[in-house]
Amino acid sequence: MNKKGVIIIGIIILILIISAILYYNFSKNGNTNINKTDEQIVQDILNISSYKAKVEIEVTSNKNSNKYIVKQELKRGNISKQEVIEPENLAGIITEYDGKNLKIVNNRLNLTTTYENYEYIVNNRLWLDSFISEYKNSSSTNTIVEENQIILEIQSKDDIYNTYKRLYIDKKTGKPTKMTVADINKKMTAYILYSEIEIS
């Protein structure tokens, strides 16, 4: 093989290596939705069957406001687990729900309590799957498409404290970034920030 052929092969190999590195970094950073339409991104969210997330939650009532950091995990089959990271006095409390029974574990006090036939997670406004289920079954929904994000909205007439719900989705990553819940007067009652999330 002549010198020119070796140079061409070398350039081709170099291009392939650079392409592989760029693809790996692109996928690693979660930017795999670049070619997806807004509708595809929404459908991906609505079809989530499991997720893991580190979530910052602020719950506001008429009297006070409380902040929490928790780890949430939803597995296929509606099996869920939540562990409190902060505040410190609640750290280590784990709730596990298998679709029928609720187990509460307090690692600090080494206590475990189980509630059988417990309707728990189904109506929990702080969980992503609860929002998705309500969005799919509600007749009052809206989708707002902005330059960098998609907002899914629900208006519920059945609950004056949780009337308006919004889920914000990053168009670049296709992942939720935050969820907000407001009462009938549009006063914020819950703010959920997804600082880390893996979905499938």
Side-chain angles (χ1 to χ4, degrees), residues 1-186:
M1 185 179 292
N2 60 28
K3 191 173 180 181
K4 189 176 179 181
V6 171
I7 291 172
I8 291 172
I9 291 173
I11 290 171
I12 291 170
I13 292 171
L14 185 62
I15 289 170
L16 291 173
I17 290 171
I18 291 170
S19 298
I21 291 170
L22 289 174
Y23 177 79
Y24 172 77
N25 288 332
F26 199 65
S27 299
K28 187 178 177 183
N29 292 328
N31 299 326
T32 55
N33 288 295
I34 195 73
N35 293 323
K36 289 192 176 182
T37 65
D38 297 335
E39 180 62 29
Q40 287 173 321
I41 292 170
V42 170
Q43 286 307 310
D44 285 349
I45 293 296
L46 296 180
N47 290 317
I48 288 175
S49 58
S50 62
Y51 74 90
K52 289 182 182 180
K54 184 177 180 183
V55 186
E56 296 174 28
I57 301 169
E58 183 173 359
V59 179
T60 305
S61 66
N62 290 334
K63 296 181 179 179
N64 57 20
S65 180
N66 296 299
K67 294 182 179 181
Y68 308 91
I69 296 177
V70 301
K71 287 183 179 178
Q72 290 180 344
E73 181 176 0
L74 177 74
K75 298 179 181 177
R76 285 177 175 83
N78 206 26
I79 298 169
S80 60
K81 179 180 178 180
Q82 180 168 276
E83 179 180 358
V84 179
I85 308 300
E86 292 180 17
E88 189 176 338
N89 64 318
L90 298 176
I93 294 179
I94 299 170
T95 56
E96 297 180 6
Y97 186 66
D98 63 6
K100 183 178 178 184
N101 303 313
L102 173 69
K103 182 166 77 170
I104 301 175
V105 179
N106 188 327
N107 288 327
R108 184 172 283 187
L109 300 176
N110 199 24
L111 294 173
T112 301
T113 305
T114 301
Y115 300 92
E116 295 183 357
N117 301 314
Y118 192 82
E119 294 296 328
Y120 172 68
I121 298 299
V122 176
N123 296 316
N124 192 336
R125 64 183 176 153
L126 305 180
W127 284 77
L128 180 58
D129 64 308
S130 178
F131 179 94
I132 291 169
S133 177
E134 186 175 353
Y135 187 89
K136 286 179 173 179
N137 295 302
S138 175
S139 59
S140 184
T141 62
N142 188 30
T143 303
I144 301 168
V145 178
E146 297 180 349
E147 185 178 350
N148 297 317
Q149 65 181 357
I150 301 169
I151 304 167
L152 303 182
E153 289 185 326
I154 305 170
Q155 183 176 350
S156 173
K157 297 175 183 176
D158 301 327
D159 190 343
I160 62 170
Y161 301 107
N162 305 294
T163 307
Y164 301 98
K165 302 178 188 76
R166 281 182 155 202
L167 181 67
Y168 296 76
I169 305 161
D170 186 321
K171 289 174 74 171
K172 190 175 181 182
T173 64
K175 295 179 180 180
T177 56
K178 66 181 177 180
M179 185 185 349
T180 60
V181 182
D183 65 16
I184 195 166
N185 298 313
K186 298 190 176 180

